[in-house]
Amino acid sequence: MTGKSRIGTFVGCIAITAVTTLAALETTRYGVHDMGRPRPLVVTPAEQVGQPPLDATVLFNGEDLSKWQKGNGADANWTIVDDDYMVVPPKAGDIRTREVFGSCQLHVEWRTPEGVPARVTNQDRSNSGVFLMGRYEVQVLDSYTDDNYQTNRTYADGQAASIYGQFPPTVNACRAPGQWQTYDIAFMRPLFDEQGNCVRKARITLFHNGVCVHNNLDIEGATAHKVKAKYSAHSEGPIVLQDHGNPVAYRNIWIRALPEEPYLIE
Ligand code: MG
């Protein structure tokens, strides 16, 4: 082989490698503005934001707790009020969905009680939580703050809308006790290899009362108390609502499964 042809072969190899690499990076086999590319499915949105779209699974709409159970599999025993919302009764324990989920869009409305004495603060001030896959907690707490109200000076990564023990929300969008608040969550499940190593962390985007407080954030691992979070391999898991000894209320809970590759439609 001549020097010239060796160079030609070398350049050719680079070109083939580059093309192969680019192909590997492609997320679709369709070109720009390809009329043959399938359109996304139509989903009819609700008239009012916060109401479930037609493809959602309604987990609770005030009628019954048939979609929920206790940790031991017994029927959920939280109290339904006015055919509208449910409240955590004393010593009832957490409840969880009977169905399990992975990546999802989740809507939850919650309310902390009025009239909690000012001396009750820190993590005792209307504590609850929403756990994704039964492991990753978005904290529910009374973190409302204004000039006429006793500020709850708990640790920042334990206030409302925090990824508990890991990340405070970027802003505090809390409403006052007694007012309904919303969480709108987009969650991508973690992925594990065959050895159980986490190869992609869970990711979360959270809107609290319509305000984005986490944007595509990597979660550091399963929620833990006073220890660093870490991952251990698991499959799909339930949505869990936490009983932390306070009469927090929930209503209008619905969920939509999210595809692993949202833009890759065959
Ligand atoms: Mg909690």
Side-chain angles (χ1 to χ4, degrees):
M1 186 181 289
T2 65
K4 204 177 242 180
S5 63
R6 269 201 301 273
I7 290 170
T9 304
F10 178 67
V11 170
C13 284
I14 290 178
I16 289 168
T17 304
V19 168
T20 306
T21 305
L22 281 173
L25 290 172
E26 289 286 349
T27 57
T28 176
R29 56 190 161 88
Y30 298 103
V32 174
H33 297 164
D34 187 339
M35 289 300 288
R37 188 173 187 171
R39 274 70 168 169
L41 290 174
V42 171
V43 173
T44 305
E47 296 265 338
Q48 183 182 347
V49 172
Q51 296 304 301
L54 290 185
D55 70 339
T57 297
V58 175
L59 296 174
F60 178 70
N61 63 3
E63 287 183 4
D64 59 58
L65 290 171
S66 59
K67 300 271 177 59
W68 299 82
Q69 61 185 351
K70 299 176 74 170
N72 61 7
D75 290 345
N77 58 347
W78 289 16
T79 306
I80 296 178
V81 181
D82 295 337
D83 294 326
D84 181 36
Y85 61 91
M86 57 172 152
V87 178
V88 186
K91 302 187 186 311
D94 299 349
I95 59 172
R96 62 190 56 215
T97 54
R98 294 184 186 278
E99 193 174 344
V100 292
F101 304 94
S103 301
C104 65
Q105 174 187 353
L106 177 68
H107 176 88
V108 177
E109 299 183 15
W110 55 274
R111 185 181 69 185
T112 61
E114 293 179 285
V116 176
R119 62 179 167 72
V120 178
T121 187
N122 207 312
Q123 289 293 295
D124 294 325
R125 195 175 186 92
S126 303
N127 193 337
S128 184
V130 179
F131 284 75
L132 296 145
M133 302 188 86
R135 289 168 175 79
Y136 310 104
E137 183 184 15
V138 179
Q139 173 71 319
V140 168
L141 197 76
D142 174 13
S143 296
Y144 180 65
T145 299
D146 76 3
D147 293 342
N148 303 310
Y149 188 73
Q150 179 79 18
T151 300
N152 185 357
R153 292 200 173 278
T154 191
Y155 39 89
D157 64 4
Q159 73 175 69
S162 65
I163 308 306
Y164 184 81
Q166 301 178 29
F167 299 102
T170 53
V171 294
N172 180 350
C174 255
R175 299 192 203 281
Q179 295 186 19
W180 285 102
Q181 313 205 37
T182 59
Y183 280 163
D184 285 283
I185 296 168
F187 173 78
M188 294 301 284
R189 58 164 302 168
L191 298 177
F192 303 93
D193 64 17
E194 290 185 354
Q195 287 71 46
N197 302 305
C198 181
V199 294
R200 189 191 72 188
K201 293 179 177 178
R203 295 198 300 255
I204 189 167
T205 296
L206 171 62
F207 289 81
H208 182 192
N209 297 325
V211 178
C212 185
V213 297
H214 296 295
N215 183 13
N216 203 29
L217 175 74
D218 279 354
I219 295 176
E220 291 300 315
T223 299
H225 183 59
K226 291 188 174 177
V227 293
K228 195 163 173 52
K230 61 182 181 183
Y231 281 100
S232 54
H234 62 83
S235 55
E236 293 183 327
I239 304 299
V240 176
L241 301 180
Q242 184 187 43
D243 170 11
H244 209 288
N246 304 120
V248 175
Y250 288 91
R251 73 176 184 187
N252 188 23
I253 305 173
W254 51 263
I255 193 167
R256 300 175 64 246
L258 292 180
E260 187 57 41
E261 297 288 352
Y263 306 110
L264 185 58
I265 302 171
E266 290 296 332

